[in-house]
Structure formats: structure tokens, C-alpha cells
Amino acid sequence: YTAVQQQAAFNWFVNALNAPDGRPRWVLAAGNLPPADLHLREDLRTRLGWGHVFALQALNDLERRTVLRTEAESRGVVLSDEAMDFILSRFSRDLGSLMQLLHQLDAYALQTRRAITIPLIKSMLENE
């Protein structure tokens, strides 16, 4: 990052914390490295490391299945391995989309008073 970019980022950070209306703003930054490992001015690097720092990783297939099954169970929904395989092979695999699909399936299953099965999933898609 250039010196000008780093100065602008530092100014933005300070102004967010000392907003003219007196209400501090949240600062959220993302990067490929933790703040401590960034090659930036020391004052900017340390300020970026003031708050919580999280390492986010994409879920692998097993983790994705675990999250989906846990959410289904918390709703009182039984999601068979076959239904899970069908969902994961035919729909978007990002967690947000999967949670939205599970919500739709749960509502449709309650409305039709049926368990979540592959035929129910196909039926829901046909009726959308």
C-alpha cells in the first residue's frame, strides 16, 4: 500500500472513532493476513489490531453437513442423508443459501404436513 493510501486509511479510522456527531462508528476490515502481519505503518497496523480478529475459513463438505444437520435438528426437522445429498448436489453450497433453503423446506414441510424427503423438495420447487 502506498503512503497516501495508508494515511487515508489511518484518517478514516480515526474519524470513524471520533465522528463529528460524537457517536463512534464501527470499523470492520478484512484481509488475507492478521493485522500484526501486515506491512503497514505501525500506527495503522496497531489500530487495525485493536478489536477482535478472526480467521474465517470456508467450510468443507463435512462441516457444511454438520451445520445443516444441526440447524435442521434445532428446528425439529429430520434431514436424511439422501435428502442432504440431494440438496448439496443440486443447490448453491454457500451456507447462507443452504440456511435459506432449509427455512423454505421447513415451512413447506409444515404446510404440507410431510417430512423433508427428495419428493417433497421436488414438489416445493415445482410449486414455487
Side-chain angles (χ1 to χ4, degrees), residues 81-91 118 121-122:
D81 290 337
E82 294 79 19
M84 181 89 69
D85 292 341
F86 185 84
I87 289 168
L88 292 174
S89 66
R90 288 173 176 77
F91 296 94
I118 294 172
I121 298 169
K122 289 179 179 179

Side-chain angles (χ1 to χ4, degrees), residues 69 72-73 75-81 83 102 106 114-117:
R69 185 158 329 270
E73 288 173 359
R75 294 169 174 263
V77 172
V78 175
L79 200 55
S80 69
D81 290 337
L102 181 60
D106 185 22
R114 295 169 51 196
I116 296 179
T117 60

